[in-house]
Amino acid sequence: MKLEKGWTWLLLLLLSTLAVAAVVAHEKQSEADVSDVVVDDDDDDMGLDEEELKVLMAEDESEQVKETHSKSTASEKDTDSNVSFQVTYRTPVPTGDVYFAETFDDGSLDRWQLSKTVKEDADGDVAKYDGKWAVEQLKENKVPGDQGLVLKSRAKHHAISAMLDKPFVFKDEPLVIQYEVNFQDGIDCGGAYIKLLSDTGSLNLEQFHDRTPYTIMFGPDKCGEDYKLHFIFRHKNPLNRDMEEKHAKRADVDLKKFYTDKKTHLYTLLLNPDNSYELFIDQSSVSRGNLLEDMVPPVNPPKEIDDPNDSKPDDWDERAKIPDPEAVKPDDWDEDAPAKIEDPDALKPEGWLDDESEFVPDPNAEKPEDWDEEMDGEWEAPQIPNPACETAPGCGVWKRPMINNPQYKGKWKAPLVDNPNYQGVWKPRKILNPDYFEDLQPFRMTPFKALGLELWSMTSDIYFDNFIITSHKEVADRWASDSWGLKKLVASANEPGIFAQLMMAAEERPWLWVIYILTVGLPVGLLVLFCWPKKSDDDYVYKKVDPPKADVEEEEEEEEEEEEEDKGAEATEAAPAAEEAEEDAEAGGDNVEGDDDEEEEEEEEDEEEGEDESKAPGRTLEDEVGVICSTGGNDKKLTTVQSGNFSSL
């Protein structure tokens, strides 16, 4: 019993541990940790050279001035009463060399240019870039003092762009692109990607449209149930100078939650000079690859291609199997035999009503008062099931049921055999690809000098913030810790309680209800099992078990014989002893003590005999109970009482 209880408690502990682990994992997924977004403060870890360090020191001095100004500005603003978790926010400042950085915290779009053109090859009234933009705070989980760029219109074309501080040239430094997106009202169909506009010499931001040359397109996009994270770059063909889009493979994770949870997410692209790339969401890698191996279509065309002038000969036989030309249809093969025939062994059930129809006119139906026989025809009562058929096996004309025809074989076909003239599947011959080239450095793309958003969306209030373009991943991480990290903290602090999260999780994954029920119900059941009052031993009635009779009877016979012999001997010895006792009694009872000693010895002998009998096989305490009764004086009596019968006492 103790072993069973131990296993039970071990099972309870295991289930409780699993439930707690599931809850903790769910919390860790939704909660934020500041250490996830904090980067080491030492500048030596950033891999900056001496010139960049000098620039960084100068920027630190300017940062102190900006911090003083931001503090004075923040003191003038009232604390947002709608924010349940207050944080101290300061506009982030890049800690290294950057090509572009934008926070929108000043509330203006001075450096941004709205497009004043229309989409190419489209009607001007339909394809105008008249979508509205605004600089606002987040609707939920807002950080006081933090603002972002918001796409305000739905079912409109939007286009806005800004120049970089300096053009980015693809040489020996990596490229890091990072920004934040929040689908505040979800997203039905639309994108939130950015374009890095190529430095073509004729770039005009007022004429920014869908055909404006770009070098890289990166960011989320969704339509229907297709959730994407774009990474597209335009590659220049070294032979004909044409530009062709190359698309990265799809992300390795399910992207749906990033579009539906209404949280601010951080999107990062890292592109290295060795042609490797990696995509991050919330600083977690979701896809990685190589520009030479993981792009569609490939950067480099194949060396050989099918000859477009080659054609299959007329006598080329691609049939691996053909009908046997020597096969002949058997004489007994009947192609006209039906597939189904009537069952010849079927018998009409007894009680079948041949003269009754399955349906009869409704006797309770009445012709409508507005029925016009000239227009509606002769009125007939609607048909109802025949009441007489309810208790009968059937009504109407009985027909034999149909069964499969054992003689049916279908249309005869000759069996297939190997084709002796089989030549294999024809393929055109290969020739050298006249358009072949080999570009081993696709990283060296066209330089770009502007960042633009050219979007169409069926959902409004898409939030963008904290754009940064740099050559150092550490700079982007530090930027994220000062901006997106605070948003993450606020969102985590405003998360619903653990029970609300469990209910929300169960709505998305109904199988969690089984774990919840086991976690709650099993402990309750075990408590009832172990803590419920047990019945005392007095409440149980033990059933007497009869000992084996054969052995007991033999032993009883032997004991009776011995007792008879002992009694005979005792009777012989007791006669003179009784006479002496009478004489002693007459003399004044001088031998009373001696008699008492003899009685005690006899009682001890009887007790030893009782113990021996209790140890005998098949005997129990209940089977035989010895009660010794003394009547006083010289009289002694030994009474044996069977179990359950004490009347003789």
Side-chain angles (χ1 to χ4, degrees), residues 99 164 168 170 173-177 196 215-216 231 268-273 278 443 445 448 468-473:
Y99 294 86
L164 272 60
F168 183 90
F170 294 88
E173 292 185 336
L175 171 64
V176 181
I177 307 167
L196 303 180
T215 301
I216 290 177
F231 167 42
T268 308
L269 167 64
L270 172 61
L271 188 58
N272 295 308
E278 192 166 7
F443 172 78
M445 308 174 191
F448 60 88
I468 188 170
I469 300 175
T470 180
S471 295
H472 303 283
K473 182 68 163 54

Side-chain angles (χ1 to χ4, degrees), residues 533-590:
K534 296 183 178 179
K535 292 185 177 181
S536 62
D537 296 339
D538 297 338
D539 296 338
Y540 292 93
V541 178
Y542 294 92
K543 182 178 180 181
K544 178 180 176 181
V545 179
D546 296 334
K549 294 183 178 180
D551 296 338
V552 174
E553 290 177 355
E554 293 177 359
E555 292 177 358
E556 289 179 352
E557 291 176 358
E558 294 176 358
E559 291 175 356
E560 289 177 357
E561 293 176 356
E562 293 176 357
E563 289 178 357
E564 291 176 357
E565 294 176 357
D566 293 339
K567 289 179 179 179
E570 289 177 357
T572 306
E573 296 176 356
E579 295 176 357
E580 293 178 359
E582 291 177 356
E583 294 176 357
D584 293 338
E586 293 174 356
D590 297 335

Side-chain angles (χ1 to χ4, degrees), residues 155-330:
K156 295 281 187 179
H157 295 285
H158 301 74
I160 192 172
S161 55
M163 286 290 185
L164 272 60
D165 298 336
K166 55 184 177 180
F168 183 90
V169 180
F170 294 88
K171 289 185 179 180
D172 301 325
E173 292 185 336
L175 171 64
V176 181
I177 307 167
Q178 182 172 279
Y179 69 106
E180 303 169 12
V181 177
N182 188 324
F183 297 103
Q184 300 184 94
D185 294 335
I187 182 70
D188 294 326
C189 185
Y193 47 81
I194 63 174
K195 292 182 178 180
L196 303 180
L197 306 182
S198 302
D199 185 5
T200 59
S202 60
L203 179 61
N204 182 358
L205 299 185
E206 290 185 354
Q207 301 298 316
F208 174 40
H209 53 79
D210 59 322
R211 301 295 180 87
T212 300
Y214 69 90
T215 301
I216 290 177
M217 189 174 85
F218 168 65
D221 188 17
K222 185 254 184 182
C223 197
E225 290 300 316
D226 189 11
Y227 300 88
K228 298 179 181 179
L229 178 60
H230 289 300
F231 167 42
I232 305 170
F233 79 95
R234 298 175 75 236
H235 179 261
K236 181 182 291 186
N237 188 315
L239 299 180
N240 55 23
R241 316 303 293 177
D242 289 342
M243 303 296 291
E244 185 176 16
E245 291 183 350
K246 309 295 180 181
H247 296 249
K249 63 181 181 180
R250 297 182 70 93
D252 301 329
V253 300
D254 184 9
L255 301 176
K256 182 176 181 179
K257 63 180 180 180
F258 302 110
Y259 294 79
T260 57
D261 61 5
K262 298 183 181 180
K263 294 181 180 179
T264 302
H265 294 289
L266 186 71
Y267 295 87
T268 308
L269 167 64
L270 172 61
L271 188 58
N272 295 308
D274 62 356
N275 298 317
S276 64
Y277 70 87
E278 192 166 7
L279 308 181
F280 300 84
I281 300 181
D282 297 344
Q283 298 184 322
S284 297
S285 178
V286 297
S287 180
R288 63 178 63 187
N290 191 283
L291 299 180
L292 290 172
E293 302 170 358
D294 300 298
M295 307 303 291
V296 180
V299 171
N300 296 313
K303 291 184 178 181
E304 294 184 338
I305 61 172
D306 294 337
D307 186 357
N309 299 320
D310 191 15
S311 59
K312 184 173 68 174
D314 296 337
D315 59 348
W316 190 278
D317 195 344
E318 292 182 327
R319 299 174 300 166
K321 297 284 186 178
I322 60 173
D324 186 359
E326 299 180 357
V328 179
K329 183 176 70 173

Side-chain angles (χ1 to χ4, degrees), residues 23-85:
V23 172
V24 172
H26 186 71
E27 287 181 337
K28 286 184 178 180
Q29 183 178 1
S30 60
E31 290 182 354
D33 190 354
V34 180
S35 60
D36 293 340
V37 296
V38 173
V39 187
D40 190 6
D41 292 341
D42 295 335
D43 293 330
D44 294 338
D45 296 339
M46 298 169 58
L48 304 178
D49 54 24
E50 294 181 359
E51 295 181 358
E52 291 176 336
L53 286 174
K54 293 179 181 179
V55 175
L56 179 59
M57 294 175 64
E59 290 177 350
D60 288 339
E61 295 178 359
S62 62
E63 181 180 358
Q64 295 177 0
V65 177
K66 292 182 179 179
E67 288 178 2
T68 304
H69 176 69
S70 63
K71 289 181 180 180
S72 61
T73 303
S75 63
E76 297 175 358
K77 297 181 178 180
D78 295 332
T79 303
D80 193 341
S81 59
N82 295 326
V83 180
S84 60
F85 180 76

